[in-house]
Amino acid sequence: MQQQQDKQFKTVKVKSNFHQFQLLPNRQIHRYKIELTSYSDINVQNAITTYREKLSQCLITFYCINFNIYSPTKIASQVLGGLNEGEEIQNVVTLKFIESIESGAKLQQILSRIVKQIISTQQGMVQIGKDKLFWPKKSHSFHEHKFEIWEGVQIVQKQFGVVIDCAYKILRQNTLLDDLLITKEVDRYEGMIVMTKYNQKFYKVDLIETGMSPKDLFVTENGQETTFKEYYKLRYNIKLTDKQPLIKTMLKLKGKQEEKVIYLIPELCQLTGLNETVKNNFSVMREVAKITKPNAYDRIDLSEKFAKQMNSTVKKGSNANLLDTWGLKLNNVSMNVEAKTVRPGTLMMGNEEIDLSSSNLNLDQQTQKKMYQMPEKKLVWVLIHYYKEKGQEAKKLLLENMKQAISEYQFYGFYSQPIVKQLQEEREKTLIQLCDDINKECEQKQQKIEFIIFLLPGQKRNSRLYRCAKYISLQKIGCPSQVVLEDTLSKNTRSIINKIMVQICAKLGGVPWAIDKLPKIFQQQHTMICAAECYDRLHQIKHLAFCSTVDKNMTKYHSQIQKGADYKGDNLKKCLITAMEIYKEKNMVFPQIIVIYRDGVSDGQIPVVLGDEFPQYDQAIKQINPQSKLVLVICNKRVAGKFYQAGHRPDNPASGTIVDSKEICEGQQPNFYLISQITRQGTSQPTLYKILHSDLPNIEDDIKVLTYKLCWLYYNFAGPIKIPAPVRYAHCLSEFIGTRYQRNDKDPFIPIEELVKKGVLFYI
């Protein structure tokens, strides 16, 4: 088993952006405790407060963490004095030396406190959140499009060091009031982040209070009642416009459960992030990417320069070097660590195999061949196009190129001629009526429409009829569909049609390609891979998507969507029960191994997953087939860690690079970083995986290989993606339904049962 696993991996060295702390020679950190004649937590806290000045005199500098006192100064135990002065029985306060610390969890706590102090004392930088700092003076301005980009750093404390990475903040040059006067839509700002112009602090918009204005009264921190207008005039010498609402934001109070409500002024708040117009402007986004996607060399350069800056940080109110005081030094040079690469294997097509380790890999072209598994029967399919001249030309181009593609792919299902119909008006009612008429015609001929291609006018992501077309195929006819925009076919027509054919194959239950050498344990036993994702947006109905494989190659899926559901209650339990039953229906047995991926889980959310979600899966398995073994893996794409090919000029690591070094991967659960994607611009973003639960022993290496292999099986892209295909499909399904679902629809934007039972990827 071990020999076979070794063949799957190749050992490599990578450079990281992790910097380690070192204790200077002959330096230690010492732990003390407060001892009392009459001990209680409240008395200890009172003693520390009462004798803080005396502690500073004898220890010079110290931190109090969980009633432990830590200091780089070593002194003998000594009596500080007494509490309840003047009473007969004194509560004597003694500072007792406990131990010296050089490593372990206690040192990590101290380092965490030091890193926080370093972050809060950087001159000329603006802190956003707990771990990001920005240089307002290092600003890139896009005046024509009214926004600017601030450069900065993210500093995350990890074990006995820190991760230092580039960070960027996009600020619009217009205020929330400027934008509100144009849009007149108060709801659209909820959840957005704004920056107050007068003190460069950032806040989340919870509500636009249209019933309030700067003329309203509030109570200041010193208890005085005044209007917002008077306050800003007196405090900042700013004259406010009367006619504007206020921004309500909820602030979490440090160390407390309750929240504090504060109100901000729209004309003093800059919006952050890019607007939709800029996002859709290709040339502007290309310039933005040049700034926000630096290469490996520039990232390492910034990381090491900021490590030097941290080393030279001076304590507030003194000239003492903060790290020197504690006998610490941060390595300016980031760590090199041992990593390994997974051999990708072979992509299996219909007539040939593609070696994924080849230096001449060009999957865009190489996958435009006969696909691995085609839909076998002839299809009844419909092509709807717009009646105008442009629509006629697009129809001709589509059919000509599709005919060539069908011949090349040997896609015999499309040998039947389509039912071609013209759309006379670019209106939803007209399209619905046309499809109703076509459906009736087919029913009269005892035919069932199995696929529709809508060839529509409009721009990418902005076709007026896209939602309506998908609604018709989901709800009224119950078949998969493909929307093609006329303008899409104006350039590289044949290549685009070939890519559309790959999608059509997947949407009809075919398999465009498969991958070989999946771990033996998952091939020798019936294995089902699952992923869940909840669509959860402000003021919108939640939807829970659950995708599960039904075949040995892990290429075919059963896809479920639950309206109004999230990860809580018994929603996941229901999903897994259904998935197991469908698997048995297809394979005559229940799955012996179930691997579930859950995306978007940070360290702070792990207790929620273990407390709310894992028990549901456990109950489902016990109810349906107690012999099934469960493996639960969480993914987190939002990590600060970066890795680069070590060398004179650092570059992105190869696809399939895994970092699982104990120096970097911390925590109780087995975890690893995986760089699966091939990145040609900027820096590869690794994904962090943690195995939260496994009924199978020694499964870690097999999960690493499986996770990487699954990244090649997403049929909307020729190549490996950042996360395993089931995770991406669950995301696509939740977004596809969630973003288009409207409360007032007579028939909901949900697939009918007939379409779900087909087991096709109708949502990609």
Side-chain angles (χ1 to χ4, degrees), residues 194-210:
V194 294
M195 183 190 81
T196 46
K197 293 164 73 174
Y198 46 89
N199 61 0
Q200 295 181 324
K201 290 192 175 178
F202 289 78
Y203 300 91
K204 180 183 173 185
V205 177
D206 285 306
L207 192 68
I208 303 293
E209 289 280 13
T210 52

PDB file of all heavy atoms in Angstrom, residues 194-210:
ATOM      1  N   VAL A 194     -18.206  50.283   3.752  1.00  0.00           N
ATOM      2  CA  VAL A 194     -17.907  51.691   3.446  1.00  0.00           C
ATOM      3  C   VAL A 194     -16.747  52.165   4.322  1.00  0.00           C
ATOM      4  O   VAL A 194     -16.475  51.586   5.381  1.00  0.00           O
ATOM      5  CB  VAL A 194     -19.139  52.601   3.673  1.00  0.00           C
ATOM      6  CG1 VAL A 194     -20.250  52.278   2.696  1.00  0.00           C
ATOM      7  CG2 VAL A 194     -19.633  52.517   5.123  1.00  0.00           C
ATOM      8  N   MET A 195     -16.065  53.231   3.857  1.00  0.00           N
ATOM      9  CA  MET A 195     -14.993  53.835   4.659  1.00  0.00           C
ATOM     10  C   MET A 195     -15.371  55.273   4.992  1.00  0.00           C
ATOM     11  O   MET A 195     -15.768  56.041   4.106  1.00  0.00           O
ATOM     12  CB  MET A 195     -13.671  53.827   3.899  1.00  0.00           C
ATOM     13  CG  MET A 195     -12.514  54.395   4.734  1.00  0.00           C
ATOM     14  SD  MET A 195     -10.993  54.671   3.805  1.00  0.00           S
ATOM     15  CE  MET A 195     -11.367  56.253   3.017  1.00  0.00           C
ATOM     16  N   THR A 196     -15.260  55.635   6.270  1.00  0.00           N
ATOM     17  CA  THR A 196     -15.529  57.015   6.672  1.00  0.00           C
ATOM     18  C   THR A 196     -14.338  57.883   6.258  1.00  0.00           C
ATOM     19  O   THR A 196     -13.194  57.574   6.607  1.00  0.00           O
ATOM     20  CB  THR A 196     -15.757  57.102   8.196  1.00  0.00           C
ATOM     21  OG1 THR A 196     -14.735  56.356   8.861  1.00  0.00           O
ATOM     22  CG2 THR A 196     -17.116  56.549   8.576  1.00  0.00           C
ATOM     23  N   LYS A 197     -14.614  58.947   5.519  1.00  0.00           N
ATOM     24  CA  LYS A 197     -13.552  59.784   4.933  1.00  0.00           C
ATOM     25  C   LYS A 197     -12.750  60.522   6.000  1.00  0.00           C
ATOM     26  O   LYS A 197     -11.566  60.797   5.830  1.00  0.00           O
ATOM     27  CB  LYS A 197     -14.175  60.798   3.960  1.00  0.00           C
ATOM     28  CG  LYS A 197     -14.780  60.147   2.728  1.00  0.00           C
ATOM     29  CD  LYS A 197     -15.707  61.079   1.980  1.00  0.00           C
ATOM     30  CE  LYS A 197     -14.960  62.159   1.230  1.00  0.00           C
ATOM     31  NZ  LYS A 197     -15.862  62.974   0.390  1.00  0.00           N
ATOM     32  N   TYR A 198     -13.384  60.858   7.135  1.00  0.00           N
ATOM     33  CA  TYR A 198     -12.737  61.712   8.127  1.00  0.00           C
ATOM     34  C   TYR A 198     -11.736  60.961   9.012  1.00  0.00           C
ATOM     35  O   TYR A 198     -10.843  61.569   9.581  1.00  0.00           O
ATOM     36  CB  TYR A 198     -13.792  62.416   9.009  1.00  0.00           C
ATOM     37  CG  TYR A 198     -14.889  61.510   9.516  1.00  0.00           C
ATOM     38  CD1 TYR A 198     -14.753  60.820  10.703  1.00  0.00           C
ATOM     39  CD2 TYR A 198     -16.064  61.341   8.776  1.00  0.00           C
ATOM     40  CE1 TYR A 198     -15.764  59.988  11.162  1.00  0.00           C
ATOM     41  CE2 TYR A 198     -17.077  60.515   9.218  1.00  0.00           C
ATOM     42  CZ  TYR A 198     -16.924  59.830  10.406  1.00  0.00           C
ATOM     43  OH  TYR A 198     -17.908  58.998  10.843  1.00  0.00           O
ATOM     44  N   ASN A 199     -11.889  59.621   9.180  1.00  0.00           N
ATOM     45  CA  ASN A 199     -10.909  58.904  10.021  1.00  0.00           C
ATOM     46  C   ASN A 199     -10.485  57.553   9.437  1.00  0.00           C
ATOM     47  O   ASN A 199      -9.840  56.763  10.111  1.00  0.00           O
ATOM     48  CB  ASN A 199     -11.432  58.725  11.454  1.00  0.00           C
ATOM     49  CG  ASN A 199     -12.711  57.905  11.499  1.00  0.00           C
ATOM     50  OD1 ASN A 199     -13.225  57.469  10.462  1.00  0.00           O
ATOM     51  ND2 ASN A 199     -13.228  57.694  12.694  1.00  0.00           N
ATOM     52  N   GLN A 200     -10.868  57.294   8.196  1.00  0.00           N
ATOM     53  CA  GLN A 200     -10.444  56.090   7.462  1.00  0.00           C
ATOM     54  C   GLN A 200     -10.717  54.798   8.237  1.00  0.00           C
ATOM     55  O   GLN A 200      -9.886  53.905   8.337  1.00  0.00           O
ATOM     56  CB  GLN A 200      -8.957  56.185   7.103  1.00  0.00           C
ATOM     57  CG  GLN A 200      -8.676  57.325   6.119  1.00  0.00           C
ATOM     58  CD  GLN A 200      -7.219  57.417   5.729  1.00  0.00           C
ATOM     59  OE1 GLN A 200      -6.338  57.179   6.543  1.00  0.00           O
ATOM     60  NE2 GLN A 200      -6.955  57.764   4.480  1.00  0.00           N
ATOM     61  N   LYS A 201     -11.934  54.686   8.761  1.00  0.00           N
ATOM     62  CA  LYS A 201     -12.376  53.440   9.399  1.00  0.00           C
ATOM     63  C   LYS A 201     -13.449  52.788   8.519  1.00  0.00           C
ATOM     64  O   LYS A 201     -14.178  53.477   7.803  1.00  0.00           O
ATOM     65  CB  LYS A 201     -12.908  53.706  10.810  1.00  0.00           C
ATOM     66  CG  LYS A 201     -11.796  54.101  11.766  1.00  0.00           C
ATOM     67  CD  LYS A 201     -12.263  54.085  13.206  1.00  0.00           C
ATOM     68  CE  LYS A 201     -11.090  54.368  14.150  1.00  0.00           C
ATOM     69  NZ  LYS A 201     -11.501  54.400  15.554  1.00  0.00           N
ATOM     70  N   PHE A 202     -13.520  51.451   8.627  1.00  0.00           N
ATOM     71  CA  PHE A 202     -14.398  50.700   7.732  1.00  0.00           C
ATOM     72  C   PHE A 202     -15.564  50.090   8.508  1.00  0.00           C
ATOM     73  O   PHE A 202     -15.394  49.584   9.618  1.00  0.00           O
ATOM     74  CB  PHE A 202     -13.595  49.601   7.026  1.00  0.00           C
ATOM     75  CG  PHE A 202     -12.641  50.142   5.998  1.00  0.00           C
ATOM     76  CD1 PHE A 202     -11.432  50.702   6.388  1.00  0.00           C
ATOM     77  CD2 PHE A 202     -12.953  50.124   4.654  1.00  0.00           C
ATOM     78  CE1 PHE A 202     -10.544  51.224   5.460  1.00  0.00           C
ATOM     79  CE2 PHE A 202     -12.083  50.640   3.715  1.00  0.00           C
ATOM     80  CZ  PHE A 202     -10.881  51.186   4.109  1.00  0.00           C
ATOM     81  N   TYR A 203     -16.744  50.128   7.885  1.00  0.00           N
ATOM     82  CA  TYR A 203     -17.961  49.636   8.529  1.00  0.00           C
ATOM     83  C   TYR A 203     -18.831  48.890   7.510  1.00  0.00           C
ATOM     84  O   TYR A 203     -18.793  49.192   6.316  1.00  0.00           O
ATOM     85  CB  TYR A 203     -18.789  50.803   9.096  1.00  0.00           C
ATOM     86  CG  TYR A 203     -18.072  51.630  10.133  1.00  0.00           C
ATOM     87  CD1 TYR A 203     -17.322  52.747   9.756  1.00  0.00           C
ATOM     88  CD2 TYR A 203     -18.142  51.302  11.480  1.00  0.00           C
ATOM     89  CE1 TYR A 203     -16.664  53.519  10.704  1.00  0.00           C
ATOM     90  CE2 TYR A 203     -17.485  52.080  12.433  1.00  0.00           C
ATOM     91  CZ  TYR A 203     -16.751  53.176  12.052  1.00  0.00           C
ATOM     92  OH  TYR A 203     -16.099  53.928  12.985  1.00  0.00           O
ATOM     93  N   LYS A 204     -19.617  47.950   8.028  1.00  0.00           N
ATOM     94  CA  LYS A 204     -20.575  47.232   7.181  1.00  0.00           C
ATOM     95  C   LYS A 204     -21.936  47.921   7.278  1.00  0.00           C
ATOM     96  O   LYS A 204     -22.395  48.259   8.377  1.00  0.00           O
ATOM     97  CB  LYS A 204     -20.698  45.777   7.654  1.00  0.00           C
ATOM     98  CG  LYS A 204     -21.671  44.937   6.825  1.00  0.00           C
ATOM     99  CD  LYS A 204     -21.772  43.533   7.420  1.00  0.00           C
ATOM    100  CE  LYS A 204     -22.857  42.737   6.729  1.00  0.00           C
ATOM    101  NZ  LYS A 204     -23.056  41.419   7.362  1.00  0.00           N
ATOM    102  N   VAL A 205     -22.579  48.143   6.118  1.00  0.00           N
ATOM    103  CA  VAL A 205     -23.913  48.766   6.089  1.00  0.00           C
ATOM    104  C   VAL A 205     -24.946  47.709   6.452  1.00  0.00           C
ATOM    105  O   VAL A 205     -25.101  46.710   5.746  1.00  0.00           O
ATOM    106  CB  VAL A 205     -24.227  49.358   4.691  1.00  0.00           C
ATOM    107  CG1 VAL A 205     -25.642  49.935   4.662  1.00  0.00           C
ATOM    108  CG2 VAL A 205     -23.197  50.412   4.303  1.00  0.00           C
ATOM    109  N   ASP A 206     -25.659  47.907   7.565  1.00  0.00           N
ATOM    110  CA  ASP A 206     -26.725  46.975   7.943  1.00  0.00           C
ATOM    111  C   ASP A 206     -28.084  47.450   7.438  1.00  0.00           C
ATOM    112  O   ASP A 206     -28.947  46.632   7.114  1.00  0.00           O
ATOM    113  CB  ASP A 206     -26.768  46.803   9.465  1.00  0.00           C
ATOM    114  CG  ASP A 206     -25.625  45.930   9.964  1.00  0.00           C
ATOM    115  OD1 ASP A 206     -25.484  44.807   9.450  1.00  0.00           O
ATOM    116  OD2 ASP A 206     -24.859  46.375  10.832  1.00  0.00           O
ATOM    117  N   LEU A 207     -28.254  48.770   7.363  1.00  0.00           N
ATOM    118  CA  LEU A 207     -29.551  49.313   6.930  1.00  0.00           C
ATOM    119  C   LEU A 207     -29.394  50.783   6.569  1.00  0.00           C
ATOM    120  O   LEU A 207     -28.601  51.493   7.186  1.00  0.00           O
ATOM    121  CB  LEU A 207     -30.569  49.180   8.082  1.00  0.00           C
ATOM    122  CG  LEU A 207     -32.046  49.427   7.752  1.00  0.00           C
ATOM    123  CD1 LEU A 207     -32.590  48.326   6.840  1.00  0.00           C
ATOM    124  CD2 LEU A 207     -32.877  49.492   9.027  1.00  0.00           C
ATOM    125  N   ILE A 208     -30.136  51.218   5.552  1.00  0.00           N
ATOM    126  CA  ILE A 208     -30.235  52.654   5.263  1.00  0.00           C
ATOM    127  C   ILE A 208     -31.516  53.150   5.928  1.00  0.00           C
ATOM    128  O   ILE A 208     -32.615  52.744   5.554  1.00  0.00           O
ATOM    129  CB  ILE A 208     -30.279  52.928   3.735  1.00  0.00           C
ATOM    130  CG1 ILE A 208     -29.052  52.328   3.020  1.00  0.00           C
ATOM    131  CG2 ILE A 208     -30.376  54.431   3.473  1.00  0.00           C
ATOM    132  CD1 ILE A 208     -27.737  52.959   3.352  1.00  0.00           C
ATOM    133  N   GLU A 209     -31.354  53.994   6.929  1.00  0.00           N
ATOM    134  CA  GLU A 209     -32.506  54.494   7.702  1.00  0.00           C
ATOM    135  C   GLU A 209     -33.076  55.734   6.997  1.00  0.00           C
ATOM    136  O   GLU A 209     -32.632  56.860   7.236  1.00  0.00           O
ATOM    137  CB  GLU A 209     -32.076  54.843   9.132  1.00  0.00           C
ATOM    138  CG  GLU A 209     -31.765  53.634   9.990  1.00  0.00           C
ATOM    139  CD  GLU A 209     -33.026  52.961  10.542  1.00  0.00           C
ATOM    140  OE1 GLU A 209     -34.137  53.284  10.073  1.00  0.00           O
ATOM    141  OE2 GLU A 209     -32.890  52.103  11.425  1.00  0.00           O
ATOM    142  N   THR A 210     -34.071  55.521   6.143  1.00  0.00           N
ATOM    143  CA  THR A 210     -34.657  56.634   5.372  1.00  0.00           C
ATOM    144  C   THR A 210     -35.484  57.574   6.255  1.00  0.00           C
ATOM    145  O   THR A 210     -35.728  58.714   5.874  1.00  0.00           O
ATOM    146  CB  THR A 210     -35.544  56.089   4.233  1.00  0.00           C
ATOM    147  OG1 THR A 210     -36.485  55.160   4.786  1.00  0.00           O
ATOM    148  CG2 THR A 210     -34.704  55.385   3.175  1.00  0.00           C
TER     149      THR A 210
END
